C-alpha cells in the first residue's frame, strides 16, 4: 500500500502537467499499490477538442509526470493503458524500490511552462536537438530546423486559425476558459491566465469584449506568424494511429520532451491549430509526406525569458475519495 503522503506528493507533481486550455481534465484515485488516472469529462472542450484527443494527450502528460515523481520518491512505476476503461484508463502500479535512480527530470516539473512570448531566434545546438530526439522513438518526433523548413507551416497555421476564430462557438469556449485577472485565475486555479500570454488583466467584462471584438483571425495570425519568424526549431509529434491509446502515449512523450527542453533552458509553446482541424491536418500531412502518421502536436522551440506561471487546482479537488 502506498502511504497517503507519498500518493499526495505524486498527485501534486502530476497536476503541474500541461493540459489543453489548462482544463486539468484529470482525477486521481488510490487503489492499494496502484495510482489510477481517470478523465474528468466535465472539463472537456466540446468545440476545440470534439474527439477528446487533446484531453487524452493531457492525461498522458499527467501519467508521465506521475511516473517521474514516483521514481523520485523511491517507487518503481509499471504502466498499464486500457484507454477505453471508464474506471481506470491509466493504471500505474507502484512498487517500493530503495535502489531506484532519482530521475533528473523531476527538478524541472515546476520549472517547465508553456512560454508564449517571442523567442530570440538564436539557433538551437545540435547537442540539444540530439538530447530531445532521445526522449522518443525517432519516428515519433520530427524536427524542422531553420526558416526554410519552418516558414511553410505558416500557411497551415493561418488556415486553421481562420476556421477556429471565425467560429463563434470556438471563441465562446475560449472566453469561458480565459482567466482575465490574477484574482480570477487564483480563485479558479485553472484556465488560461492572460498574463501567461503577455496580455494585461482586463477583468471579465472588458476582457470578453476585447477578445470578441479586437482579437480576430487576422490579428492572431499576424502574432503567430511573427513568432514563427523568430522560431529556431519546430517539433511535430506524430502517431501511427489516431485513438485514445496513441493520444495518451503522445502526452507522455511530449511531457518528457517539455521537461528535457526546460533542463536545456529552451522555451517551447504550441502551434497546434493545424493538428486540430482535420482538413488542414490532412493537407499538412500530405505536404510533409507523412503517410500513415497522424500529426498530434506542433511545437515551437527557442530561447526566451520566462513568463508568469499558470495556476493549478488543489490536490483535494482532483483526488477521488475512496467509498466507505
Ligand atoms: C494537448 C495540449 C494542447 C495544447 N494546445 C495549446 C495551444 O493550442 N495553444 C497554446 O498556447 N497552448 C496550448 N497548450 C498549452 C496549455 O495551454 C498549457 O499547458 C496550460 O495553459 C498550462 O500552462 P503551463 O503549460 O505553462 O503549465 C496545450 C497543452 C496541451 C497538453
Amino acid at each position: 500500500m502506498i502511504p497517503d503522503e507519498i500518493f499526495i506528493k505524486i498527485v501534486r507533481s502530476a497536476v503541474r502537467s500541461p493540459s489543453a486550455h489548462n482544463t486539468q481534465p484529470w482525477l486521481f484515485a488510490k487503489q492499494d499499490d496502484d495510482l489510477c488516472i481517470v478523465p474528468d469529462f466535465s472539463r472537456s472542450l466540446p468545440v476545440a477538442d470534439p474527439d477528446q484527443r487533446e484531453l487524452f494527450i493531457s492525461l498522458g502528460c499527467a501519467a508521465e509526470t506521475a511516473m517521474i515523481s514516483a521514481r523520485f520518491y523511491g517507487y518503481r512505476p509499471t504502466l498499464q493503458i486500457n484507454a477505453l476503461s471508464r474506471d481506470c484508463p491509466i493504471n500505474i502500479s507502484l512498487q517500493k524500490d530503495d535502489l531506484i535512480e532519482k530521475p533528473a527530470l523531476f527538478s524541472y516539473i515546476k520549472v517547465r511552462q508553456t512560454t508564449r512570448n517571442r523567442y530570440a531566434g538564436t539557433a538551437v545546438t545540435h547537442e540539444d536537438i540530439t538530447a530531445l530526439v532521445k526522449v522518443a522513438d525517432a519516428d515519433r518526433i520530427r524536427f524542422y530546423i531553420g526558416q526554410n523548413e519552418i516558414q511553410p507551416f505558416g500557411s497551415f497555421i493561418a488556415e486553421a486559425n481562420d476556421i477556429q476564430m471565425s467560429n463563434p462557438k470556438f471563441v465562446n469556449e475560449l472566453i469561458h476558459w480565459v482567466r482575465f485577472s490574477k484574482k480570477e485565475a487564483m480563485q479558479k486555479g485553472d484556465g488560461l491566465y492572460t498574463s501567461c500570454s503577455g496580455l494585461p488583466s482586463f477583468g471579465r467584462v472588458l476582457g470578453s469584449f476585447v477578445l470578441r471584438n479586437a482579437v480576430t483571425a487576422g490579428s492572431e495570425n499576424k502574432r503567430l506568424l511573427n513568432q514563427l519568424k523568430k522560431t529556431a526549431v519546430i517539433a511535430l509529434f506524430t502517431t501511427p494511429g489516431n485513438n485514445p491509446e496513441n493520444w495518451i502515449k503522445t502526452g507522455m512523450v511530449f511531457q518528457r520532451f517539455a521537461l528535457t527542453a526546460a533542463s536545456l533552458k529552451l522555451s517551447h509553446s504550441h502551434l497546434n491549430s493545424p493538428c486540430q482541424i482535420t482538413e488542414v491536418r490532412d493537407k499538412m500531412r500530405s505536404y510533409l509526406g507523412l503517410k500513415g502518421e497522424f500529426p498530434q502536436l506542433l511545437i515551437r522551440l527557442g530561447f526566451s525569458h520566462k513568463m508568469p506561471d499558470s495556476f493549478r487546482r488543489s490536490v483535494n479537488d482532483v483526488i477521488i475519495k475512496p467509498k466507505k
Side-chain angles (χ1 to χ4, degrees):
M1 185 97 161
I2 341 154
D4 280 351
E5 67 270 21
I6 299 290
F7 174 74
I8 289 170
K9 281 181 179 177
I10 294 173
V11 173
R12 188 164 288 133
S13 301
V15 299
R16 289 279 355 136
S17 304
S19 60
H21 283 21
N22 198 18
T23 48
Q24 302 164 39
W26 40 58
L27 292 167
F28 300 84
K30 180 169 162 248
Q31 294 167 353
D32 301 326
D33 284 337
D34 292 359
L35 162 66
C36 194
I37 305 181
V38 183
D40 180 349
F41 290 115
S42 71
R43 297 184 153 264
S44 62
L45 298 167
V47 184
D49 186 29
D51 302 331
Q52 289 161 339
R53 187 182 62 86
E54 293 198 341
L55 182 146
F56 279 97
I57 295 179
S58 306
L59 295 185
C61 294
E64 186 63 28
T65 319
M67 289 196 290
I68 292 170
S69 179
R71 285 192 199 96
F72 181 83
Y73 293 113
Y75 286 79
R76 184 171 296 284
T78 308
L79 173 75
Q80 243 190 324
I81 299 176
N82 184 4
L84 296 180
S85 154
R86 281 238 149 204
D87 300 334
C88 187
I90 303 177
N91 190 82
I92 303 172
S93 297
L94 298 167
Q95 292 305 318
K96 185 90 186 91
D97 181 347
D98 294 329
L99 299 177
I100 197 165
E101 206 180 314
K102 286 201 185 300
L105 291 182
F106 179 82
S107 344
Y108 298 96
I109 292 172
K110 280 193 184 154
V111 176
R112 182 214 60 81
Q113 65 164 213
T114 305
T115 311
R116 297 186 181 86
N117 52 16
R118 208 165 182 226
Y119 297 169
T122 324
V124 176
T125 63
H126 187 66
E127 289 74 34
D128 286 358
I129 303 276
T130 308
L132 290 166
V133 168
K134 280 194 193 143
V135 306
D137 305 338
D139 58 353
R140 283 259 185 91
I141 314 182
R142 282 158 201 279
F143 290 87
Y144 300 89
I145 302 168
Q147 283 298 303
N148 280 350
E149 292 191 7
I150 288 175
Q151 278 305 319
F153 287 94
S155 63
F156 300 117
I157 292 168
E159 186 179 349
N161 270 341
D162 281 343
I163 295 171
Q164 288 180 326
M165 295 301 287
S166 58
N167 177 358
K169 287 186 182 157
F170 178 89
V171 176
N172 283 343
E173 186 178 77
L174 180 64
I175 289 174
H176 176 77
W177 284 100
V178 173
R179 304 294 172 244
F180 289 99
S181 65
K182 186 166 189 180
K183 190 172 160 206
E184 190 185 19
M186 281 175 75
Q187 269 171 357
K188 298 248 183 188
D190 61 12
L192 298 164
Y193 173 34
T194 44
S195 291
C196 301
S197 299
L199 297 168
S201 291
F202 290 110
R204 178 151 287 274
V205 176
L206 180 61
S208 309
F209 179 82
V210 170
L211 236 170
R212 258 185 238 289
N213 296 287
V215 180
T216 59
S219 69
E220 261 304 277
N221 285 342
K222 198 168 162 199
R223 185 181 66 81
L224 288 168
L225 298 182
N226 269 333
Q227 287 183 345
L228 216 54
K229 282 188 199 144
K230 288 285 186 178
T231 296
V233 176
I234 277 188
L236 177 66
F237 290 68
T238 64
T239 49
N242 199 28
N243 59 45
E245 181 165 347
N246 292 127
W247 303 333
I248 291 168
K249 286 181 178 163
T250 298
M252 295 173 62
V253 173
F254 170 61
Q255 177 64 344
R256 277 204 301 281
F257 172 95
L259 294 173
T260 306
S263 77
L264 300 169
K265 298 194 168 29
L266 274 169
S267 297
H268 78 275
S269 82
H270 295 250
L271 299 166
N272 289 331
S273 60
C275 306
Q276 292 162 345
I277 304 287
T278 310
E279 63 260 36
V280 182
R281 183 198 66 194
D282 290 347
K283 271 190 214 168
M284 180 171 78
R285 191 156 72 140
S286 98
Y287 172 82
L288 297 171
L290 301 176
K291 276 206 190 108
E293 279 181 66
F294 292 85
Q296 302 293 355
L297 294 173
L298 188 63
I299 303 294
R300 72 185 168 112
L301 275 172
F303 295 95
S304 76
H305 60 80
K306 233 181 122 86
M307 300 281 282
D309 280 317
S310 56
F311 290 87
R312 293 296 188 275
R313 289 177 299 150
S314 118
V315 285
N316 291 327
D317 294 337
V318 296
I319 291 180
I320 301 174
K321 311 278 176 304
K323 289 192 187 104
K324 293 210 172 122

